[in-house]
Amino acid sequence: MKAIHPVFAALGVALVLSSASAPAQTLKKVDGVLADAAGMTVYTFDKDKAGSGKSACNGECAKMWPPVPVTGDSVTSPYSVVTRDDGAKQLAYKGKPLYLFAKDAKPGERKGDKMKDVWHVVTD
């Protein structure tokens, strides 16, 4: 077991460092669509350009369509990482940024699929 830095120990703070949340490994196919570790459906946005390294959904858009975050040290193909306008890292699949939908309340819901004809579940 590693020692806790004295400053954190004095404050009663414990830091947990883990690579268990590496994003590409937590995404899986569920009933033919990509989902996160909790089973929540993952989406792409037609206004995002594959391979651009950018997300077209920021600000208010990102509140309704939260980006799938990158929390691990590395990702492997077909996954990649894009840097959002706020500097946060977002997981991408085949170059397209990935999102969740705020109105999907439970695993397996797909309420965002075909929303405004620009949001789609990831089937491949």
Side-chain angles (χ1 to χ4, degrees), residues 43-63 65-69 80-93 95-100 119:
Y43 300 86
T44 58
F45 185 36
D46 285 350
K47 293 183 180 182
D48 287 328
K49 292 184 180 9
S52 71
K54 292 285 203 182
S55 167
C57 178
N58 293 286
E60 290 299 313
C61 177
K63 289 179 182 174
W65 298 92
V68 175
S80 59
V81 176
V82 299
T83 302
R84 299 185 49 75
D85 286 355
D86 63 5
K89 302 297 183 188
Q90 180 176 0
L91 190 63
Y93 180 72
K96 294 215 47 167
L98 297 174
Y99 306 87
L100 300 172
W119 292 97

Side-chain angles (χ1 to χ4, degrees), residues 7-110:
V7 171
F8 294 116
L11 295 173
V13 176
L15 296 178
V16 178
L17 301 176
S18 171
S19 61
S21 58
Q25 288 74 16
T26 61
L27 295 181
K28 60 191 174 199
K29 285 276 181 125
V30 177
D31 295 327
V33 301
L34 202 58
D36 70 5
M40 302 305 288
T41 303
V42 174
Y43 300 86
T44 58
F45 185 36
D46 285 350
K47 293 183 180 182
D48 287 328
K49 292 184 180 9
S52 71
K54 292 285 203 182
S55 167
C57 178
N58 293 286
E60 290 299 313
C61 177
K63 289 179 182 174
M64 186 60 67
W65 298 92
V68 175
V70 175
T71 55
D73 294 331
S74 64
V75 297
T76 56
S77 183
Y79 298 96
S80 59
V81 176
V82 299
T83 302
R84 299 185 49 75
D85 286 355
D86 63 5
K89 302 297 183 188
Q90 180 176 0
L91 190 63
Y93 180 72
K94 296 184 178 180
K96 294 215 47 167
L98 297 174
Y99 306 87
L100 300 172
F101 183 47
K103 292 188 178 182
D104 284 346
K106 59 186 177 183
E109 286 189 335
R110 301 177 186 177

